[in-house]
């Protein structure tokens, strides 16, 4: 134990896990002894296989649920891992492989990869050959499927430990992708969700290897990987699959959808000349386009700004006038061309308009119109209701009749996984274009869903949001350049009541001159705390603050988006963001009044030196 601790402490590898158990792991010591014995040509292979199986079963049962892996010496790992890989290769080449025995070896290697140090013996071409020998066999039986799942998980762990080195191994080994594509189709048809998910994670990394991705680009659209992934995404990604459900299958389906979207993104990124629209059949692309709109609209309010309610109120108020106009139009004969004025109709319209005007005035004063009721004599039924009400008051019960409460069915709410799926759909807009994947003009719910993604991503790390904000900003910038409806919706979402000049509530900080334009954001935009008056993160404050970010890509993308939302009007841009935040982009674009502003700027160092010189001369 002391030797292992000393070796771990003096190891050049910086990533080290802590000890969870004192002393020596007896199972690992037995592994080392068995590996040394079987290093040469062993005569008693059957006995060795039994010893391997016993030790592997004991090791797996001991460490399967242990999240913190013991730290083993590099020497032990360099002995044990190659021996296990050799056993896998020997077992898969047999006429009738023992898949339970192979599964034990793969599970042990998977557990050993939890500790990310000392895995150089695993990242070899022999390991890749062993994994490919497992992938060659179609996972049609249960035992083969379980061993294949372990092989998938081990391959993913190898990519996580060292992605670049594993990519190089895959490229040098000339991986036969046809086995993986065959398994992908089989898992999708058989609805083997866990195996399908693990294989998608492998493809997510493999498509970044150019030699592998080049094999995935056949000329036939119906058989290419783009089409297969798009069809599997349509099959898995539906509004019902992303709603709340405690079942493990639904959770795995959401994770699978995320991985398919990530793989499609990598595939489009590594092959920029091929667009998703051109790579898949037109019918599949249109269905995918509609599905993306459905998912983005989920969880978003149908009328976020109350526009539909205002239109409905206006239609109700205008309905009587329209009815009168239609009645008058139906009474007039089509052959008559002379203008006939009906005094009764005119007086009726005037009375309606006068009543509507009074209603509007009463609303402004905060009064409610009360319906005029004629006085009438009390009937016997009124007296009976009155007596019953008085009895209820004396007993202390409610006057209203207590009916049975109607239980409303609980509406399922979207899960947090929905945000991840929406974010990866947004990332697809970057490589494929939002104008291709979204119907333009889109619905307000779709725009609201995109704005919600922006709000969530901005508030993950408000002080340094570059990593989280850049994908959604890039996609929204592409969308807003094409869609006027998207621009207006986003402007209202970010700037609220100040989006429209007519409804803006803040004025210039200078009270002496009312004609001066607003040169700074309103007082409720706090660029220091980035929070609103209620103490919550404020989206507008975060975006306005990072217009002056030191991260040039974030600054440029954010400035361009806000400038487009301002209608590419410099005065409106200054009104919404403030002169200090807006000056950089306006000077870069060379707009009128901002030409050569950097040459005309005053150097603070020169100004300070001149001030000090004058001070010395005065003394």
């Amino acid at each position: 134990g002391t030797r292992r601790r000393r070796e771990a402490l003096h190891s050049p590898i910086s990533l080290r896990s802590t000890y969870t158990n004192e002393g020596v792991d007896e199972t690992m010591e037995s592994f080392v002894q068995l590996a040394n014995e079987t290093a040469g040509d062993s005569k008693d292979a059957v006995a060795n296989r039994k010893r391997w199986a016993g030790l592997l079963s004991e090791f797996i049962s001991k460490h399967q649920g242990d999240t913190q892996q013991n730290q083993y010496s590099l020497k032990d790992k360099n002995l044990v891992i190659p021996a296990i890989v050799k056993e896998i290769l020997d077992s898969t080449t047999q006429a009738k492989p023992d898949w339970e025995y192979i599964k034990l070896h793969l599970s042990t290697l998977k557990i050993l990869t939890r500790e990310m140090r000392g895995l150089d013996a695993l990242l070899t071409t022999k390991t890749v050959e062993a994994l490919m020998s497992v992938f060659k066999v179609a996972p049609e039986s249960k035992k083969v499927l379980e061993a294949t799942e372990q092989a998938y998980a081990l391959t993913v762990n190898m990519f996580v430990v060292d992605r670049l080195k594993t990519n190089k191994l895959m490229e040098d080994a000339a991986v036969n992708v046809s086995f993986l594509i065959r398994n992908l189709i089989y898992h999708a048809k058989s609805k083997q969700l866990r195996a399908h998910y693990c294989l998608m994670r492998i493809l997510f990394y493999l498509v970044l290897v150019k030699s592998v991705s080049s094999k995935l680009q056949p000329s036939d659209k119906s058989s290419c990987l783009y089409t297969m992934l798009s069809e599997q995404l349509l099959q898995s990604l539906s509004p019902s699959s992303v709603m709340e459900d405690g079942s493990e299958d639904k959770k795995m389906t959401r994770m699978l959808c995320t991985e398919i979207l990530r793989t499609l993104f990598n595939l489009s990124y590594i092959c920029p000349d091929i667009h998703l629209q051109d790579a898949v059949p037109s019918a599949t692309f249109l269905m995918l386009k509609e599905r993306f709109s459905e998912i983005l609209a989920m969880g978003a309010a149908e009328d976020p700004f109350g526009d539909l309610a205002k239109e409905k109120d206006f239609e109700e108020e205008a309905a009587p006038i329209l009815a009168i106009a239609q009645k008058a139009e139906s009474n007039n004969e089509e052959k008559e061309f002379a203008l006939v004025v009906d005094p009764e109709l005119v007086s009726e319209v005037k009375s309606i308009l006068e009543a509507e005007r009074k209603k509007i005035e009463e609303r402004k004063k905060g009064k409610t119109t009360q319906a005029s009721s004629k006085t009438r004599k009390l009937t016997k039924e009124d007296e009976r209701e009155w007596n019953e009400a008085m009895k209820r008051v004396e007993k202390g019960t409610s006057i209203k009749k207590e009916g049975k409460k109607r239980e409303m069915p609980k509406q399922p709410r979207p899960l947090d996984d929905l945000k991840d799926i929406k974010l990866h759909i947004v990332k697809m807009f970057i490589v494929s274009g939002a104008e291709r994947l979204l119907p333009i003009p889109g619905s307000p719910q779709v725009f609201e869903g995109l704005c919600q993604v922006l709000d969530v991503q901005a508030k993950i790390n408000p002080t340094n949001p570059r990593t989280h904000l850049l994908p959604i900003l890039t996609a929204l910038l592409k969308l807003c350049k094409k869609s006027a409806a998207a621009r207006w919706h986003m402007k209202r979402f970010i700037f609220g009541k100040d989006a429209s000049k007519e409804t803006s509530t803040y004025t210039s900080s200078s009270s002496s001159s009312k004609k001066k334009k607003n040169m700074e954001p309103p007082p409720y935009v706090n660029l220091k705390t980035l929070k609103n008056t209620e103490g919550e993160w404020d989206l507008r404050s975060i975006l306005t603050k990072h217009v002056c970010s030191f991260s040039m890509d974030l600054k440029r993308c954010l400035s361009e988006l806000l400038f487009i939302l301002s209608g590419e009007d410099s005065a409106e841009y200054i009104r919404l963001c403030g002169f200090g935040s807006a000056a950089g982009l306006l000077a870069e674009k060379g707009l009128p009044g901002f030409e050569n502003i950097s040459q005309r700027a005053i150097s603070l160092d020169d100004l300070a030196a001149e001030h000090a010189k004058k001070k010395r001369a005065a003394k």
Side-chain angles (χ1 to χ4, degrees), residues 324-593:
I324 293 170
Q326 288 175 0
K327 182 180 178 182
E329 186 179 357
S330 61
N331 290 336
N332 293 332
E333 294 181 4
E334 293 181 359
K335 295 179 181 180
E336 293 181 0
F337 296 97
L339 181 63
V340 180
V341 179
D342 189 355
E344 294 181 0
L345 182 62
V346 171
S347 61
E348 191 175 354
V349 172
K350 283 183 178 180
S351 62
I352 291 173
L353 292 175
E354 186 67 21
E356 293 296 327
R357 187 182 63 79
K358 288 180 179 179
K359 283 182 183 179
I360 293 170
E361 289 178 356
E362 288 177 359
R363 284 178 193 167
K364 289 180 180 179
K365 293 178 182 178
K367 296 180 180 180
T368 56
T369 56
Q370 298 179 354
S372 59
S373 58
K374 297 181 180 179
T375 57
R376 62 182 181 84
K377 294 181 181 180
L378 294 176
T379 61
K380 291 182 179 180
E381 189 176 352
D382 294 334
E383 292 178 0
R384 183 177 58 78
E385 290 181 0
W386 174 260
N387 293 333
E388 289 179 0
M390 292 303 295
K391 288 178 183 178
R392 290 195 190 94
V393 172
E394 291 174 0
K395 291 180 182 179
T397 57
S398 175
I399 295 177
K400 294 182 178 179
K401 294 181 180 179
E402 296 181 357
K404 292 183 179 180
K405 292 183 179 180
R406 183 183 175 187
E407 295 183 358
M408 298 297 292
K410 292 183 179 180
Q411 295 292 331
R413 61 179 181 82
L415 291 178
D416 291 338
D417 295 342
L418 181 60
K419 296 175 185 175
D420 293 335
I421 294 175
K422 283 185 177 182
L423 179 61
H424 286 97
I425 291 175
V426 167
K427 288 181 179 179
M428 285 298 300
F429 294 166
I430 301 173
V431 291
S432 298
E435 66 277 7
R436 291 190 181 97
L437 291 175
L438 272 185
I440 294 178
S443 66
Q445 283 181 283
V446 174
F447 298 143
E448 183 70 12
L450 291 171
C451 290
Q452 287 177 358
V453 175
L454 173 66
D455 188 60
V456 170
Q457 292 298 108
K459 294 176 182 177
I460 293 175
N461 187 5
T463 55
N464 186 18
R466 177 184 176 276
T467 308
H468 305 288
L469 267 184
L470 270 178
I472 178 67
L473 288 176
T474 308
L476 290 176
L477 184 60
K478 286 188 173 186
L479 178 63
C480 290
K481 284 180 179 179
K482 298 287 182 179
S483 173
R487 290 196 292 271
W488 178 232
H489 191 102
M490 282 205 61
K491 186 178 181 182
R492 295 170 76 183
F493 185 87
I494 295 172
F495 298 104
K497 56 188 176 183
D498 297 328
S500 177
K501 295 179 182 179
E502 290 78 11
T503 58
S504 180
T505 56
Y506 69 95
T507 57
S508 175
S509 58
S510 176
S511 57
S512 59
S513 60
K514 295 182 180 179
K515 293 183 180 180
K516 280 190 175 182
K517 295 181 179 179
N518 298 319
M519 303 294 282
E520 58 185 24
Y524 46 81
V525 176
N526 196 329
L527 300 183
K528 292 183 178 179
T529 63
L530 305 179
K531 294 184 178 180
N532 54 20
T533 53
E534 298 175 358
E536 298 176 350
W537 294 114
D538 181 40
L539 177 63
R540 181 178 180 181
S541 301
I542 295 169
L543 298 183
T544 308
K545 169 74 174 179
H546 292 287
V547 167
C548 300
S549 173
F550 287 104
S551 175
M552 295 308 295
D553 47 2
L554 175 62
K555 174 183 177 180
R556 177 74 187 192
C557 191
L558 187 53
S559 302
E560 285 285 350
L561 177 63
L562 296 180
F563 186 63
I564 288 174
L565 295 183
S566 305
E568 300 186 8
D569 181 6
S570 57
E572 178 72 358
Y573 185 42
I574 293 172
R575 182 183 76 86
L576 294 173
C577 300
F579 182 80
S581 301
L585 181 70
L586 299 178
E588 189 177 345
K589 289 183 175 293
L591 295 177

Side-chain angles (χ1 to χ4, degrees), residues 150-168:
Q150 296 299 321
Y152 290 156
L154 177 59
T155 309
V156 172
N157 287 0
M158 288 172 62
F159 278 111
V160 172
V161 170
D162 195 337
R163 182 178 64 84
L164 296 177
K165 191 171 183 179
T166 309
N167 278 350
K168 186 71 169 58

